[in-house]
Amino acid sequence: MRGGKPEILRSEEIPGRNSEMSLLLRILLVLPSIMMPAEASLLWDLPSSLPAMYQRGSNGTGSENFMERGLSRHKRATGDAEYSVDIEISFQDPVLQNEIRTFINTLTFPIALNDSTSNIKSINVTTACSQANGSLQCTCEDGYVWPSAICQKYTACVGSTKPCSCITVQQYNGLYCQLKLATVNITLSLSIIKEFTPAFKDPSNKEYKELKAALETAFSNSYKSLPGFEKAEVIMFRPGSIVADYTIVAEPVNASTIQDANNNLVTSLGANYTLGNPAVRNTITGQSTVSTSHTYMFVGDRSIILCKVNVSSYTSVDWFINGTEKLQNDTQYSYNVTVINGSVMSFLTINSLAATNSGTYKCIVHQNSDSFVAEMNLKVLPITVSIITGTVRCNSTGVPVLSCCTDEGIDLLSLTCYNTSGNKYVDRVSGGPIDKCRTYNITASPDQCLYGNTATYQCACTSANGASQNKDITVTLQQTPVLQINSTADSKHVSEGKPLFLECSSNVDTKISWRFSSGGIDEAVQTNLYNQRTNRSSILHVPRITKFWNGTIICAAENNPISVNKSVIVYSLTSSDQINVNPVGSFYVCNFPITFTCCVDDIAAYASATINISGKNSQAMAKSGNCFVYTYTPTDCAGTGPIEAFSTISNRINDTVTSGRMTLSPRNVADITCNTTLGIGSIGDAITVSCETINATLTGNQTYECSQNGAWNPKNGTITCFSASLNGLDLDFQALTSPGSEANIPNLLVRLSSTVTSEQTEVTSSPRNIQLVLNILSASARLSNTVEEAMMQNFLTGVNVVVDRSSAAAWSKAENQTRQSSELLKSVEEFARKLDFNGSISIRNNSNVQLAGVIRTESTPEYKKDFSFNNINNLTGKVAIGNLNAIAENSRIVSIAYATLKDVLPLEDNNTVNGLVMTTVANITNMEAFNISMTFRKSNVTLNKASCVFWNLTTNNWDSNGCRPTTREDDVICECDHLTSFSILMSYETQFTKTERDILDYITYIGVGISMLSLVICIFVEVTVWKSVTKNKTSYMRHVCLVNIAVSLLVADIWFIIGAALAPKVPKEVSDACVAVTFFTHFFYLSLFFWMLTMGLILFYRLVYVLHDMSKTIMMTISFVLGYGCPLVISVITVASTQPFKTYTADEACWLNTKTSNAFIAFVVPALIILLVNTLIVLVVVVKILRPSIGDKPKKEEKSALNNILKCIVILTPLLGLTWGFGIGTLSVNKAWIHGIFAGLNSLQGLFILLFGCLLDKKVREALLNKFSLTRWVSQQTRSTNTNSSDSPFSKGNVTKVGSRKGIINPFGKKGAYNISSAQLSSSSDMASNSYSILN
């Protein structure tokens, strides 16, 4: 190891992990032993001792090689000897290099050796070599470089970026890096004979880049021989043909070495370029100066810049501005050169400086191959002369009227003004420099104004070097006004709701303004509340004063500190409609007392109240709680008529308000049926009472009707009371008319949040309460200036409640649902635009509405926000704005997502809002470049036609302008070029023409009509022949199922027709009726399916369980429980779980909801399961029919069996409801023909039941013929049948061949039919003795 000289680390052959630490420790031990007093002894001992100490035995572990490369001794002035040792270490594992470096870095120097007189000062790693592709790559450590001779001799390493830091050698030969010396920048210039174009001023220009790259390559090749050369790069190009200024970074060198490199450069470039003479100049700095005699220069100044070089001769002189612009002698610039006292001097003169003359001025004095360079920055300062005011009061002192300003050096400017006309007696003076300005001040006393109203001055702001800015000013002199407010009292007392008039007058002409002050508020009064009556007076008129005007109103003259004020004290005085009177309309009985009450908020603010009854003298009312009370007993009963009363309430300044009328009609005692705390009355009488008497939290009036049972019931079943708290909040927002009263909004919103949370059920069930909340939200958005996060949180709580699903019914009863929903969206947007936050914001604690936003900064790459409502159909939405350049920087982007607003907003045609409603607000500065992308998760995935829409706040409807939809599975992506509230409108696209839709409608309604007629006939026939066809248990159960199928289908079709008639009025006018229609339609269609299932199960039982018997009672119980019990349970559960959320019925029809709830599943799932079971039963029947034909049978019998199978399928399909299976096809095939088949088969199901279940049954036909005495036809039928076959051919038992005799399963007279006949049972058995088929 050596201090101050190189050490070589070379990896060759040794794998030891701790060898480097061992090696270093050995070096530390050996150094004391080899340090000898005589240098000769040292040189003798070192080579022989060191190698011997670092040889290992051949024990299989390898060897470490140590080689000493040199030893030097340094004699210090103190007599101490200093030695440096060069050491080469070779090892196999390259990782050891880093471990050695780490170990050395952990050492603390100096290190004391064994003898107390020696120590190691430092250990430095200089060179590291490693194997690479059969050669060595030797790299210098930080602070070391290869000598320039080595760099030129050997090839640089591949990928090496630093010059002379890494070389490639075939084998190591003792080379090592040297300590890197400090480098210097050598500045030179190269002259190329070529036209200088503007391209060489632009570093991004292609021509500039190509010439720069070519020159830098030549520079590197020519100057790399310089000691410590690092780089050479072009600084700039400037005119003079083309002059390239460039810098070389290398160690300090002498002039001859530089000249040799310059000669190589000229030789290298001479082949491709025409060079100047001399081609290369040495740029010398520090021997020249550029200066001006003025510290500051102003626009309009004449400037002289001196360039001085301490040389006695020159070849030429050039001047440049901003590096590349060469100055010529012209009208603006001129320069000359002279030699004075052995120095070259050049004077540059700039006439009439302008702001464009600011920049860097460079002077270059050429002397043969040397260029002496100096430069300076020149800043030209503007002078601004401005009029401060043109009006001066006559009692003013030192009023600044004009200013002269500049950025720096104001002391060098002077401001003078001369009176040219008007009043010459006004005192004036030029003010000293203050805050970069000089001002011209005027003082005027009242007596000086007597000499005229105006004074005109000509002013100039000048510098010592010729700059001058001039301006004329005319000053108007005004007398000081004396203001007064017309009210003589110190304060103005006024009641709420009354107008306020104040007049402020002045003794001189002046413009008057008004301000309002209260607590921490000090705001200007809205200009629409006052007007300048004359040049000397102004009237303030507040049409309706509110409690927030309590404070001080100030009248002030314009541009004058003089003002007067008046205190305003506002006293409570409610409006007439806010007085809760009781009774409003009722009845009375003579000689029985009547209690009249008049209730107000804050009764302590009122002095007294009186009541006037039927025009008699007013009587004083007593205070009781928040009410004034008076008890009156009518005694004059002869011919008495209605009693009319009203109260008059006085506040503390004796202003009064009159309540609404209270009317009571007479009734006889004997006629009284209802007698409660609400009032008395006869059956059918209606009374109106104050809601406060019912519930202290309510207000308004409620009408009740007397029922026969003596109870008062709400008239028409409607509650018209509304929240007293919300009503009070609405009134408080209406009272926010005074300046600064918006400061009360945060507290009012806290009250709103608390009220809607505690009264959520009442709010969502009342259209009036919803309207009150909307009023409050609208006022909050309109009146707020800045919205804090807490305000937005409370605001959204109110929104969250009014858009809840439970409020859908109340919204549907609103007077103008479209206007109200549009008002809600507008309020939220307006409020969100005023939201103030830092960084980002997220409010997601509401169930129906969420908010998120960020501040758009320069570092914001894009805007992305996701919303998710797991509690509402797992609805999700995404908002993305990729290019934010169209949005103002440092502005706020806010998005709001509504999960349930889709249930509130009105719809168009057959469309439905099928996802979230998302609103985004932002400050867009470039609409052409703006685009927003929104992803909506479908609420109802069965809808397939999507439209991206926004709520148009102007037309109050959905609009698709500027939006493009893309559907991806369960999502719809909308790309829009503007902002507002967006969603997706979707419908089911049938792709049918109008003609096809009309045909389907005709098929449905005609088929249903035929079906209903057929079912009526079927039921009539069954009633007629019941006793004849139900003589055994199997027949009985078959006809029970058939009758109930017919009844269920008939009643279901009737409710279907009723629902179709109500559909155009859904959901507003007949929402309750529609719920009832939907329930019964659902129930009876389910009953139809379950009775068809019952028939199928009975058929399965009779065919499969041949030897098993079940009693009629058990079969009847199971059948009715299955046929009506199961449908009833399903229907009740469905309506109970969805109707409270108003999601039971669909929006466009009286049927189960398919969009916002899973109500429709309560019909589809049972129906599909029953269809599957009945299909399996039909397959069992087919197998039973095929079984007799197994084996070698005559072809005739096989053909007959196939015919029977077809007939069984035809008969069973309508009876077991298999035609409904075509409904599955309509879901997958959107073709008119499949819909037509489905509509035809199912609408005619009643006809099929009549034909296949009734008329084609031989026993039914025989019973009908017997019933109507058609004996001829009876005999003809009986002759063609077996006397023992009183039942249909299919019954529980074996399949027997009928032969040539005709059975009912073969209604078309074909022979060879198969009948399933029953085994003969004993007469005492309940089993049928005759053959029977459940098919017929």
Side-chain angles (χ1 to χ4, degrees):
M1 293 276 170
R2 50 174 305 212
K5 287 191 177 181
E7 170 208 349
I8 307 299
L9 296 180
R10 180 161 59 92
S11 63
E12 287 181 351
E13 53 189 60
I14 305 302
R17 175 59 60 186
N18 298 319
S19 60
E20 77 283 359
M21 269 63 92
S22 173
L23 176 60
L24 291 173
L25 291 175
R26 292 172 187 171
I27 294 172
L28 296 177
L29 292 173
V30 77
L31 284 177
S33 65
I34 64 173
M35 292 190 178
M36 310 293 291
E39 185 174 350
S41 174
L42 177 63
L43 293 175
W44 174 264
D45 291 339
L46 185 61
S48 61
S49 61
L50 285 180
M53 297 186 63
Y54 292 94
Q55 295 296 328
R56 281 190 178 182
S58 56
N59 56 1
T61 60
S63 63
E64 292 179 346
N65 293 333
F66 170 82
M67 186 177 289
E68 175 271 332
R69 289 298 177 186
L71 177 69
S72 62
R73 176 185 180 190
H74 306 279
K75 186 81 172 188
R76 300 185 59 148
T78 61
D80 295 336
E82 184 178 282
Y83 300 91
S84 61
V85 182
D86 300 337
I87 301 174
E88 173 191 335
I89 305 173
S90 300
F91 42 81
Q92 183 177 6
D93 191 351
V95 177
L96 294 179
Q97 290 187 11
N98 291 330
E99 294 184 356
I100 290 175
R101 292 188 183 94
T102 302
F103 177 75
I104 293 175
N105 290 335
T106 60
L107 297 177
T108 303
F109 297 98
I111 300 174
L113 299 179
N114 291 338
D115 64 339
S116 59
T117 61
S118 303
N119 58 62
I120 299 175
K121 294 179 59 177
S122 65
I123 301 175
N124 298 314
V125 179
T126 64
T127 311
C129 297
S130 59
Q131 294 285 349
N133 298 325
S135 60
L136 288 175
Q137 287 192 346
C138 296
T139 306
C140 295
E141 297 293 298
D142 291 341
Y144 293 87
V145 294
W146 290 108
S148 58
I150 299 297
C151 287
Q152 297 181 37
K153 182 178 179 180
Y154 294 98
T155 305
C157 299
V158 177
S160 177
T161 57
K162 296 181 179 180
C164 288
S165 63
C166 182
I167 61 173
T168 301
V169 297
Q170 295 304 315
Q171 61 181 3
Y172 184 70
N173 54 5
L175 300 176
Y176 55 82
C177 300
Q178 295 181 348
L179 187 65
K180 180 179 179 181
L181 301 178
T183 59
V184 295
N185 292 342
I186 304 171
T187 305
L188 303 168
S189 62
L190 173 69
S191 176
I192 302 174
I193 306 301
K194 184 178 180 180
E195 181 183 0
F196 185 89
T197 64
F200 295 106
K201 294 182 179 182
D202 181 10
S204 64
N205 186 275
K206 179 181 178 182
E207 192 173 356
Y208 182 103
K209 293 179 179 179
E210 289 176 350
L211 181 58
K212 182 176 184 291
L215 292 182
E216 288 181 346
T217 301
F219 294 157
S220 297
N221 293 333
S222 299
Y223 293 108
K224 68 180 181 180
S225 60
L226 297 180
F229 173 78
E230 291 186 1
K231 63 179 180 178
E233 62 179 354
V234 175
I235 301 173
M236 62 182 296
F237 296 112
R238 53 184 171 83
S241 292
I242 297 179
V243 178
D245 292 329
Y246 62 98
T247 297
I248 300 168
V249 180
E251 295 176 2
V253 295
N254 55 39
S256 61
T257 304
I258 285 289
Q259 188 59 47
D260 291 342
N262 289 345
N263 294 338
N264 293 336
L265 177 64
V266 172
T267 302
S268 173
L269 293 176
N272 299 318
Y273 300 95
T274 302
L275 305 179
N277 186 19
V280 180
R281 294 179 185 270
N282 299 322
T283 301
I284 302 172
T285 60
Q287 297 185 28
S288 55
T289 59
V290 177
S291 61
T292 179
S293 58
H294 312 299
T295 305
Y296 300 101
M297 304 301 296
F298 302 98
V299 173
D301 275 348
R302 181 174 181 270
S303 177
I304 298 176
I305 302 175
L306 169 63
C307 175
K308 180 179 179 182
V309 183
N310 296 324
V311 295
S312 58
S313 63
Y314 66 95
T315 304
S316 62
V317 176
D318 293 323
W319 283 88
F320 293 88
I321 180 173
N322 297 328
T324 59
E325 184 178 350
K326 188 175 183 180
L327 302 181
Q328 307 291 338
N329 278 305
D330 53 26
T331 57
Q332 186 174 16
Y333 298 100
S334 62
Y335 63 89
N336 56 68
V337 185
T338 184
V339 179
I340 302 175
N341 297 328
S343 298
V344 176
M345 296 186 180
S346 178
F347 297 89
L348 174 66
T349 302
I350 308 174
N351 298 311
S352 187
L353 285 171
T356 55
N357 295 128
S358 296
T360 301
Y361 286 82
K362 179 187 292 185
C363 169
I364 303 178
V365 177
H366 303 290
Q367 186 186 56
N368 298 324
S369 62
D370 295 328
S371 295
F372 298 89
V373 179
E375 61 183 30
M376 69 165 287
N377 288 323
L378 179 66
K379 183 177 182 181
V380 181
L381 301 170
I383 300 175
T384 304
V385 179
S386 305
I387 296 176
I388 300 175
T389 180
T391 303
V392 176
R393 297 290 178 185
C394 288
N395 64 342
S396 303
T397 301
V399 179
V401 296
L402 184 137
S403 66
C404 169
C405 302
T406 187
D407 295 336
E408 299 177 56
I410 188 62
D411 291 337
L412 302 177
L413 299 179
S414 61
L415 176 62
T416 58
C417 293
Y418 301 94
N419 183 283
T420 58
S421 64
N423 193 323
K424 301 180 183 296
Y425 299 98
V426 179
D427 296 333
R428 56 196 183 279
V429 65
S430 179
I434 300 176
D435 194 21
K436 301 181 181 180
C437 294
R438 288 187 180 275
T439 59
Y440 194 72
N441 305 328
I442 289 181
T443 298
S445 60
D447 57 334
Q448 289 175 320
C449 288
L450 301 176
Y451 297 97
N453 293 330
T454 61
T456 303
Y457 300 92
Q458 189 178 72
C459 301
C461 186
T462 59
S463 72
N465 298 301
S468 179
Q469 293 291 326
N470 303 318
K471 186 175 284 292
D472 294 344
I473 179 174
T474 298
V475 178
T476 301
L477 304 176
Q478 293 184 350
Q479 294 184 356
T480 302
V482 177
L483 301 176
Q484 63 177 7
I485 296 180
N486 61 344
S487 176
T488 57
D490 293 336
S491 59
K492 180 72 174 179
H493 297 255
V494 62
S495 296
E496 279 186 293
K498 302 294 184 181
L500 172 67
F501 288 94
L502 290 177
E503 181 176 2
C504 182
S505 57
S506 170
N507 62 329
V508 298
D509 292 349
T510 186
K511 187 174 182 180
I512 297 174
S513 61
W514 297 82
R515 298 184 65 81
F516 174 76
S517 176
S518 177
I521 297 174
D522 187 6
E523 300 281 346
V525 175
Q526 302 92 313
T527 56
N528 64 307
L529 296 180
Y530 65 89
N531 61 76
Q532 192 82 17
R533 182 180 181 184
T534 65
N535 292 336
R536 297 188 176 189
S537 68
S538 174
I539 295 179
L540 172 66
H541 173 214
V542 182
R544 186 175 178 274
I545 205 75
T546 68
K547 61 183 177 181
F548 293 108
W549 281 93
N550 269 307
T552 302
I553 295 180
I554 304 165
C555 163
E558 187 180 40
N559 300 322
N560 198 287
I562 297 176
S563 64
V564 293
N565 59 71
K566 184 71 64 176
S567 295
V568 175
I569 301 175
V570 181
Y571 290 84
S572 296
L573 187 67
T574 188
S575 59
S576 178
D577 60 346
Q578 296 301 317
I579 301 176
N580 292 318
V581 298
N582 194 64
V584 180
S586 187
F587 302 91
Y588 73 95
V589 175
C590 190
N591 293 319
F592 283 85
I594 305 170
T595 300
F596 294 95
T597 60
C598 297
C599 304
V600 293
D601 291 334
D602 189 18
I603 195 170
Y606 298 91
S608 61
T610 61
I611 187 168
N612 184 286
I613 301 175
S614 298
K616 299 178 181 179
N617 294 333
S618 297
Q619 302 294 323
M621 303 182 73
K623 284 185 178 181
S624 176
N626 281 332
C627 301
F628 290 99
V629 181
Y630 181 76
T631 300
Y632 170 72
T633 301
T635 56
D636 186 7
C637 303
T640 56
I643 295 176
E644 289 193 355
F646 63 88
S647 65
T648 302
I649 302 176
S650 302
N651 65 2
R652 296 193 177 281
I653 58 173
N654 294 323
D655 281 335
T656 61
V657 59
T658 300
S659 72
R661 296 276 175 171
M662 294 171 279
T663 303
L664 291 88
S665 300
R667 284 291 183 268
N668 295 322
V669 175
D671 297 333
I672 300 301
T673 303
C674 298
N675 185 3
T676 69
T677 55
L678 293 177
I680 60 175
S682 303
I683 297 175
D685 283 346
I687 63 172
T688 302
V689 299
S690 170
C691 293
E692 191 174 13
T693 63
I694 306 168
N695 188 328
T697 64
L698 301 177
T699 189
N701 295 326
Q702 176 67 45
T703 301
Y704 290 90
E705 193 169 20
C706 181
S707 63
Q708 292 181 352
N709 61 2
W712 291 105
N713 297 323
K715 191 173 184 179
N716 299 325
T718 303
I719 300 296
T720 57
C721 298
F722 51 94
S723 170
S725 299
L726 289 178
N727 183 63
L729 271 172
D730 186 31
L731 293 175
D732 285 344
F733 270 97
Q734 294 178 31
L736 297 178
T737 60
S738 65
S741 57
E742 64 274 4
N744 296 281
I745 293 178
N747 291 331
L748 295 178
L749 287 177
V750 171
R751 288 171 52 193
L752 171 66
S753 176
S754 175
T755 300
V756 297
T757 301
S758 61
E759 301 180 14
Q760 180 169 354
T761 302
E762 292 77 10
V763 173
T764 56
S765 60
S766 167
R768 179 65 182 274
N769 284 337
I770 290 179
Q771 181 61 62
L772 289 173
V773 175
L774 294 181
N775 293 345
I776 294 168
L777 297 177
S778 177
S780 300
R782 184 180 66 256
L783 299 175
S784 296
N785 295 325
T786 300
V787 176
E788 302 296 335
E789 183 173 349
M791 294 173 61
M792 178 57 78
Q793 175 69 71
N794 293 320
F795 184 91
L796 290 182
T797 301
V799 176
N800 184 70
V801 170
V802 296
V803 300
D804 191 77
R805 279 181 168 179
S806 58
S807 67
W811 276 95
S812 66
K813 297 175 184 177
E815 294 181 0
N816 193 328
Q817 182 181 0
T818 300
R819 180 187 60 78
Q820 289 183 346
S821 55
S822 186
E823 177 186 345
L824 173 62
L825 281 175
K826 183 179 179 181
S827 299
V828 176
E829 281 192 37
E830 186 177 359
F831 203 70
R833 289 185 184 278
K834 301 174 181 179
L835 182 59
D836 185 25
F837 58 90
N838 296 320
S840 63
I841 187 173
S842 179
I843 301 176
R844 301 177 184 267
N845 59 338
N846 294 308
S847 58
N848 303 316
V849 59
Q850 297 177 4
L851 177 145
V854 299
I855 296 180
R856 181 264 198 262
T857 63
E858 188 176 353
S859 61
T860 307
E862 59 184 356
Y863 176 78
K864 285 186 176 180
K865 293 297 176 185
D866 297 347
F867 299 98
S868 177
F869 295 87
N870 297 328
N871 60 321
I872 303 177
N873 293 349
N874 290 322
L875 287 179
T876 61
K878 300 179 180 179
V879 180
I881 304 176
N883 181 13
L884 298 182
N885 293 329
I887 298 177
E889 192 170 338
N890 295 322
S891 64
R892 289 163 178 80
I893 310 173
V894 179
S895 296
I896 305 104
Y898 310 86
T900 53
L901 189 59
K902 60 186 179 62
D903 303 322
V904 172
L905 292 169
L907 305 175
E908 297 177 355
D909 301 328
N910 293 322
N911 292 313
T912 181
V913 181
N914 200 32
L916 300 179
V917 177
M918 294 191 292
T919 300
T920 299
V921 294
N923 183 9
I924 301 177
T925 57
N926 184 0
M927 289 300 301
E928 295 181 357
F930 179 77
N931 184 75
I932 184 172
S933 175
M934 292 160 290
T935 303
F936 297 88
R937 174 62 53 88
K938 297 178 184 177
S939 175
N940 182 359
V941 296
T942 63
L943 303 180
N944 58 3
K945 183 180 179 182
S947 298
C948 293
V949 293
F950 67 95
W951 186 257
N952 192 319
L953 294 174
T954 303
T955 59
N956 289 341
N957 61 2
W958 291 109
D959 193 338
S960 61
N961 186 32
C963 294
R964 302 167 300 282
T966 302
T967 301
R968 294 181 182 176
E969 296 181 353
D970 294 343
D971 295 333
V972 176
I973 301 175
C974 296
E975 300 281 343
C976 300
D977 56 13
H978 56 89
L979 289 179
T980 186
S981 299
F982 297 93
S983 191
I984 50 173
L985 287 182
M986 297 193 69
S987 61
Y988 185 74
E989 186 176 19
T990 61
Q991 300 177 351
F992 298 156
T993 64
K994 184 178 185 303
T995 301
E996 290 173 335
R997 289 195 299 269
D998 291 342
I999 292 174
L1000 290 175
D1001 289 342
Y1002 288 136
I1003 291 174
T1004 300
Y1005 290 112
I1006 292 175
V1008 170
I1010 294 174
S1011 181
M1012 293 173 65
L1013 179 61
S1014 301
L1015 291 170
V1016 172
I1017 295 174
C1018 179
I1019 295 171
F1020 174 77
V1021 169
E1022 287 291 324
V1023 172
T1024 302
V1025 301
W1026 183 261
K1027 291 183 178 180
S1028 301
V1029 297
T1030 58
K1031 294 180 179 180
N1032 58 67
K1033 181 172 60 179
T1034 304
S1035 295
Y1036 184 84
M1037 290 308 303
R1038 171 187 177 272
H1039 285 279
V1040 167
C1041 291
L1042 183 64
V1043 170
N1044 281 282
I1045 289 173
V1047 171
S1048 297
L1049 182 58
L1050 176 62
V1051 178
D1053 285 344
I1054 293 173
W1055 283 112
F1056 173 81
I1057 296 297
I1058 295 173
L1062 292 178
K1065 303 177 182 180
V1066 173
K1068 293 181 180 179
E1069 292 84 349
V1070 288
S1071 57
D1072 294 336
C1074 192
V1075 170
V1077 170
T1078 302
F1079 175 81
F1080 287 112
T1081 305
H1082 182 206
F1083 170 71
F1084 282 105
Y1085 271 120
L1086 281 180
S1087 297
L1088 168 67
F1089 275 93
F1090 276 94
W1091 274 110
M1092 291 189 296
L1093 174 64
T1094 302
M1095 176 175 278
L1097 293 176
I1098 292 175
L1099 173 61
F1100 179 79
Y1101 171 74
R1102 303 301 291 174
L1103 288 176
V1104 175
Y1105 296 96
V1106 177
L1107 301 179
H1108 186 274
D1109 188 28
M1110 186 183 298
S1111 67
K1112 182 190 295 185
T1113 303
I1114 295 176
M1115 295 182 70
M1116 287 289 289
T1117 302
I1118 294 175
S1119 298
F1120 276 89
V1121 170
L1122 190 63
Y1124 291 116
C1126 291
L1128 181 63
V1129 171
I1130 295 173
S1131 300
V1132 171
I1133 291 176
T1134 303
V1135 69
S1137 60
T1138 57
Q1139 182 56 24
F1141 303 102
K1142 307 302 179 184
T1143 57
Y1144 178 58
T1145 61
D1147 293 332
E1148 66 281 357
C1150 291
W1151 183 231
L1152 298 174
N1153 194 312
T1154 61
K1155 301 172 184 176
T1156 58
S1157 70
N1158 297 323
F1160 187 62
I1161 295 178
F1163 173 74
V1164 173
V1165 171
L1168 290 178
I1169 293 175
I1170 291 172
L1171 288 177
L1172 177 61
V1173 173
N1174 283 352
T1175 302
L1176 296 176
I1177 292 173
V1178 171
L1179 293 177
V1180 172
V1181 173
V1182 172
V1183 171
K1184 285 289 186 179
I1185 294 176
L1186 285 174
R1187 182 175 297 174
S1189 63
I1190 297 175
D1192 295 332
K1193 298 292 182 179
K1195 292 184 178 180
K1196 184 176 182 181
E1197 291 186 10
E1198 293 179 358
K1199 182 178 180 182
S1200 178
L1202 293 176
N1203 290 335
N1204 285 336
I1205 291 173
L1206 292 177
K1207 293 173 184 177
C1208 289
I1209 293 174
V1210 170
I1211 293 172
L1212 288 176
T1213 296
L1215 291 179
L1216 299 185
L1218 301 187
T1219 55
W1220 288 83
F1222 284 95
I1224 302 175
T1226 63
L1227 298 178
S1228 57
V1229 181
N1230 197 19
K1231 300 294 183 180
W1233 63 269
I1234 189 69
H1235 284 265
I1237 292 174
F1238 175 73
L1241 290 178
N1242 288 284
S1243 63
L1244 292 174
Q1245 187 178 8
L1247 176 63
F1248 297 146
I1249 291 173
L1250 174 64
L1251 292 177
F1252 299 117
C1254 188
L1255 297 182
L1256 292 183
D1257 186 340
K1258 187 181 67 174
K1259 287 186 63 179
V1260 173
R1261 294 201 309 274
E1262 290 176 350
L1264 286 175
L1265 293 174
N1266 292 330
K1267 185 73 173 177
F1268 296 104
S1269 301
L1270 298 177
T1271 56
R1272 183 174 62 84
W1273 292 100
V1274 172
S1275 63
Q1276 288 180 354
Q1277 293 295 325
T1278 55
R1279 283 197 301 269
S1280 63
T1281 61
N1282 192 322
T1283 57
N1284 293 326
S1285 300
S1286 61
D1287 289 324
S1288 298
F1290 288 96
S1291 70
K1292 182 177 179 184
N1294 300 321
V1295 180
T1296 60
K1297 178 71 182 296
V1298 177
S1300 61
R1301 289 176 297 177
K1302 297 179 181 179
I1304 192 59
I1305 199 167
N1306 186 7
F1308 303 102
K1310 301 285 184 179
K1311 294 184 179 181
Y1314 283 85
N1315 289 342
I1316 302 175
S1317 60
S1318 174
Q1320 294 296 323
L1321 303 176
S1322 64
S1323 59
S1324 62
S1325 173
D1326 195 35
M1327 295 290 293
S1329 61
N1330 299 323
S1331 64
Y1332 172 72
S1333 174
I1334 199 166
L1335 303 179
N1336 298 304

